[in-house]
Amino acid sequence: MKKTICVIILQAIHYILKAEQLLKKEDIHHDIILVPRQISSDCGMAIELSDDDVDRVKGLLDAARLEIVGIYQMDNDQTFHALE
Amino acid sequence: MTTTPSIYVDNSATSFPKPSQVNEAVSSIIRSFSLSPGRSGHRFALKASRLIFTAREALADLFNCPDSSQIIFTSNVTEALNLVIFGLFPDTLQPGDHVITSPLEHNSVMRPLRYLEKTAQISISTLPLSKHGEVEISALPGLLRENTRLIIINHISNVTGAVTSLAEIGRQKGKALFMVDAAQSAGVFPIDVEEMQIDFLGFTGHKALFGPTGIGGFYLREGIDLRLLKMGGTGSNSETEEQPYFLPDRYEAGTPNTLGIGGLAAGLDFIKSTGLETIRAHEQRLCHRFHEGLALIDEITVFGPDRGRERAAVISLRMAGKSESDVAQRLDRDFGIMVRAGLHCSPAAHHALGTFPEGTVRFSFGFFNTEEEVDTCLLALKQICKQ
């Protein structure tokens, strides 16, 4: 079964790279992508990861005091809806 | 015609040579990818962002900053110190407030302070100097007032190499904010912003951190807001016309000096692999050898800490009967030795040392100088004395 994709938006590229450092350390599969235009017109980057890892990653980001701007889940029709 | 070999002992101005990995990094970066980070989102932009992130993390590690987002890049330490001093004004540092500083400050601190003294009635007190040319920290409690908002201290004097104990000042700062000019010390002397209770730390990339010119920055303690003196593109929050509130973007408008930051990252890597203690021990060995040799030349007077006292590898001297510019020019022309003569952009320090307005001849040794070079400098000075 194909995994559901989630996208986490942080404040700036610095925080995306800080998060990437944490995810690599914890061996959590992820990708750094452009913020999807359906989510925001911001020209920044975002973290794409599997739905299964979202809660764990949220915990890691909270512990590192990285402010989460938004978490979105991709629906079957390729649109996104906000998880929070 | 014979060519005189060059001996560079002006490392307080800028370090030379740079570690080979710095040269290679700068060359490789400019050839390999575009230098605009955090904006476009393609692989080159991401690579530039990662490079900047790496440098920021390395600086946070070097200074024991709790979070690397509190490291802000500027074009040099002068800009960093200016952004903080003028950024504190007028909300935190208000007209009529009091600032304590040392007599060994560079003009990058004294000029902004004198400007605020003149235009905003900021009053300035200066700590005294001991007979060794060191800042007398014991006088600090007596100078603190109810309205002392800021203490600014130059960690290492760029004129004499005198070291001021930041930990001791941090312990006695009271309610004042503590700002440090680490232009000469970052990369050679240990700095711990937490243990030393430093609120702002200005650093430059091109001296003992071994980066190219055009890059510097400051550490800003969490919770302190500076008035914005630059606003513009950050690659974040692009949908709004307001400057982001989060660090480091809040204080970093415009495309940064990615190439300089990349070189600085390589310099920081060199320091980490070589070891701060190893670098300092080598420089101090050279300085000690030079100082001992100078003591045997009657015509030479050395300013600042005596032999055996702690100092950075900077020695300011005068030669009886010779002008400072004449000595520096002969060293360069006849012996290939590059030093700096004059006031070193620190008239306050020269006033305190009694060497104003002529100044001194300054030798500043770096990690790549050798004992043989020190001996050549001593020999050259002896010969100039005889001429």
Side-chain angles (χ1 to χ4, degrees):
Chain A
M1 197 179 106
K2 202 182 166 199
K3 291 201 169 190
T4 310
I5 284 172
C6 279
V7 171
I8 298 182
I9 312 286
L10 301 177
Q11 289 168 322
I13 186 68
H14 174 81
Y15 300 98
I16 294 285
L17 296 175
K18 192 81 196 170
E20 182 186 47
Q21 200 179 54
L22 295 172
L23 299 190
K24 275 185 180 165
K25 211 165 145 190
E26 295 292 324
D27 211 15
I28 298 171
H29 185 73
H30 66 280
D31 196 7
I32 306 291
I33 59 162
L34 274 170
V35 173
R37 287 295 159 264
Q38 302 101 305
I39 295 175
S40 163
S41 57
D42 187 69
C43 53
M45 310 288 285
I47 300 167
E48 184 186 89
L49 72 170
S50 160
D51 183 34
D52 300 340
D53 291 322
V54 166
D55 286 341
R56 196 170 152 217
V57 169
K58 250 182 76 180
L60 284 171
L61 299 182
D62 284 345
R65 295 171 62 215
L66 295 178
E67 190 180 323
I68 297 169
V69 175
I71 303 181
Y72 298 84
Q73 193 174 52
M74 190 194 269
D75 298 324
N76 287 336
D77 61 356
Q78 306 288 303
T79 58
F80 288 89
H81 73 271
L83 288 181
E84 61 179 64
Chain B
M1 196 178 108
T2 56
T3 314
T4 315
S6 295
I7 297 179
Y8 183 83
V9 280
D10 194 17
N11 289 278
S12 286
T14 192
S15 58
F16 181 85
K18 306 295 181 190
S20 58
Q21 64 203 77
V22 172
N23 305 336
E24 283 152 22
V26 171
S27 164
S28 158
I29 291 163
I30 201 164
R31 281 184 287 111
S32 312
F33 59 97
S34 64
L35 301 175
S36 178
R39 272 88 171 148
S40 308
H42 50 66
R43 69 191 70 181
F44 281 179
L46 193 53
K47 218 166 169 179
S49 295
R50 285 193 210 282
L51 190 64
I52 291 170
F53 180 76
T54 304
R56 224 187 282 277
E57 288 273 299
L59 285 161
D61 184 44
L62 182 67
F63 302 136
N64 192 32
C65 305
D67 190 318
S68 64
S69 68
Q70 292 161 258
I71 297 284
I72 312 298
F73 285 117
T74 60
S75 59
N76 51 42
V77 67
T78 299
E79 187 188 357
L81 297 168
N82 271 259
L83 287 181
V84 173
I85 294 172
F86 289 112
L88 287 171
F89 184 82
D91 296 333
T92 306
L93 181 65
Q94 297 174 350
D97 276 347
H98 180 234
V99 177
I100 297 173
T101 191
S102 91
L104 298 177
E105 299 306 308
H106 190 272
N107 263 346
S108 52
V109 162
M110 290 318 297
R111 285 182 173 170
L113 284 186
R114 292 296 177 207
Y115 176 82
L116 289 177
E117 182 184 43
K118 201 171 163 187
T119 60
Q121 293 77 52
I122 296 291
S123 59
I124 303 167
S125 295
T126 307
L127 287 157
L129 268 196
S130 73
K131 62 176 178 167
H132 301 292
E134 293 156 0
V135 175
E136 294 230 43
I137 302 171
S138 57
L140 180 61
L143 292 179
L144 282 169
R145 299 179 196 162
E146 192 54 38
N147 66 342
T148 305
R149 291 282 172 269
L150 188 60
I151 300 170
I152 310 183
I153 297 294
N154 189 358
H155 190 190
I156 303 283
S157 165
N158 65 314
V159 176
T160 64
V163 185
T164 302
S165 167
L166 302 180
E168 221 176 303
I169 298 213
R171 272 196 296 275
Q172 299 182 55
K173 68 175 187 170
K175 289 185 292 177
L177 293 167
F178 181 22
M179 175 173 167
V180 173
D181 173 358
Q184 299 293 334
S185 60
V188 188
F189 281 74
I191 297 172
D192 184 324
V193 295
E194 291 288 51
E195 192 196 320
M196 296 167 168
Q197 300 183 53
I198 296 167
D199 297 298
F200 317 101
L201 179 86
F203 62 88
T204 189
H206 71 99
K207 297 183 197 269
L209 295 180
F210 296 118
T213 51
I215 187 65
F218 62 93
Y219 155 78
L220 174 69
R221 182 167 294 284
E222 188 181 3
I224 299 173
D225 193 39
L226 301 175
R227 184 166 60 100
L228 292 171
L229 299 171
K230 292 191 295 184
M231 298 181 215
T234 56
S236 52
N237 282 13
S238 297
E239 69 280 8
T240 85
E241 293 181 353
E242 274 182 36
Q243 193 70 7
Y245 66 87
F246 46 81
L247 304 181
D249 297 28
R250 183 162 180 77
Y251 302 110
E252 287 186 357
T255 302
N257 178 1
T258 307
L259 190 61
I261 294 171
L264 173 58
L268 290 161
D269 197 39
F270 174 81
I271 292 166
K272 187 152 187 157
S273 58
T274 307
L276 202 79
E277 305 302 325
T278 305
I279 291 171
R280 189 165 75 254
H282 176 72
E283 290 186 5
Q284 294 198 322
R285 206 162 35 244
L286 298 180
C287 187
H288 179 72
R289 188 181 182 91
F290 188 57
H291 210 168
E292 291 292 319
L294 291 175
L296 303 174
I297 309 174
D298 290 342
E299 295 85 347
I300 285 179
T301 307
V302 175
F303 297 87
D306 290 339
R307 282 178 291 153
R309 296 186 72 83
E310 187 183 34
R311 72 184 305 150
V314 180
I315 297 228
S316 252
L317 58 87
R318 273 183 171 178
M319 189 182 284
K322 303 272 193 309
S323 79
E324 288 60 48
S325 54
D326 191 30
V327 173
Q329 182 144 315
R330 287 196 195 180
L331 284 167
D332 184 29
R333 298 282 167 87
D334 302 344
F335 301 93
I337 297 169
M338 289 168 267
V339 296
R340 179 168 172 189
L343 293 173
H344 315 99
C345 296
S346 301
H350 283 282
H351 273 297
L353 294 164
T355 49
F356 188 88
E358 299 85 1
T360 52
V361 181
R362 182 187 71 184
F363 287 73
S364 47
F365 299 97
F367 185 65
F368 294 106
N369 286 124
T370 62
E371 292 191 347
E372 291 70 35
E373 288 178 332
V374 169
D375 294 344
T376 306
C377 290
L378 288 167
L379 205 61
L381 286 169
K382 280 180 198 159
Q383 290 193 24
I384 294 170
C385 278
K386 286 187 207 148
Q387 284 166 6

